[in-house]
Amino acid sequence: NESFKNVGIRPRGNAARQALKNPWKLDFAEFVSGRKVHGVQKLNLGSEASDPSQSRSTMAYHMFRSMGVPASRTHYVWLTINDGSVVQGLYTSVEQVDDDFVDAWFGNDNGVLYKCRHITEAANLTWKAPGTATTYQDLDAYEEKLQDDNFQPFAEFIAFIDQASD
């Protein structure tokens, strides 16, 4: 049993926010700069609202890791917020994909990491003219997380998807 004070918490996801059991994002460093718990600064707590077994995502992440595919670590947590009158239950804890994740898998955080932000446009990896780095950098749908908006590799990746033969 571990308890933590001064933790940033917010509902996460878009569609899942309408579920009876909300998913949450925890940020241990929101109010205590640099704080990590068990080596991580942020955790995603999945409600698994669409999975009665609460095991599908954990099994999928485990399968990916066993095949050498970079995938988040997962485990189960019993979450109680304050007295438990608002939130209490079993959640799947999923490691945040961020610079700590990239460093753990690749030995440094010098690569590129992109996040889809389904705000105004679908982040569907569709080629958009003229296909330059600036084209994708200017879209609200994507965010570069590590290299200060280096969208060149992203533009090249989308061009490859668009132009590669079957």
Side-chain angles (χ1 to χ4, degrees):
N1 290 333
E2 293 180 89
S3 296
F4 302 97
K5 294 183 179 187
N6 300 318
V7 174
I9 185 168
R10 67 171 176 84
R12 69 178 275 274
N14 289 320
R17 288 187 184 185
Q18 305 307 317
L20 293 175
K21 182 179 172 188
N22 287 333
W24 300 96
K25 180 179 286 283
L26 302 180
D27 186 344
F28 297 108
E30 179 73 21
F31 302 107
V32 181
S33 181
R35 178 171 63 173
K36 293 183 181 183
V37 174
H38 300 289
V40 297
Q41 180 178 315
K42 295 179 182 179
L43 283 178
N44 298 303
L45 300 180
S47 63
E48 306 296 341
S50 63
D51 178 12
S53 72
Q54 290 193 281
S55 63
R56 294 178 192 154
S57 62
T58 296
M59 290 186 339
Y61 284 119
H62 177 75
M63 181 184 69
F64 288 139
R65 286 191 311 274
S66 71
M67 296 183 332
V69 176
S72 297
R73 296 175 291 170
T74 63
H75 61 275
Y76 295 103
V77 299
W78 182 264
L79 177 67
T80 302
I81 299 177
N82 297 335
D83 66 354
S85 62
V86 177
V87 174
Q88 183 167 291
L90 182 66
Y91 286 80
T92 303
S93 171
V94 181
E95 178 182 18
Q96 176 76 21
V97 177
D98 58 11
D99 55 342
D100 291 330
F101 174 89
V102 173
D103 186 42
W105 273 95
F106 302 104
N108 63 62
D109 63 357
N110 297 330
V112 289
L113 177 64
Y114 302 97
K115 177 180 179 180
C116 297
R117 300 184 304 185
H118 303 279
I119 297 172
T120 58
E121 304 173 51
N124 57 17
L125 301 178
T126 301
W127 186 87
K128 298 191 184 311
T132 63
T134 305
T135 303
Y136 302 102
Q137 183 176 358
D138 290 344
L139 295 176
D140 287 336
Y142 306 106
E143 176 184 359
E144 205 286 316
K145 301 296 285 184
L146 298 178
Q147 296 295 319
D148 298 322
D149 294 329
N150 180 8
F151 276 82
Q152 187 58 42
F154 189 70
E156 292 169 5
F157 176 66
I158 291 179
F160 171 78
I161 291 171
D162 182 66
Q163 298 165 11
S165 65
D166 291 342

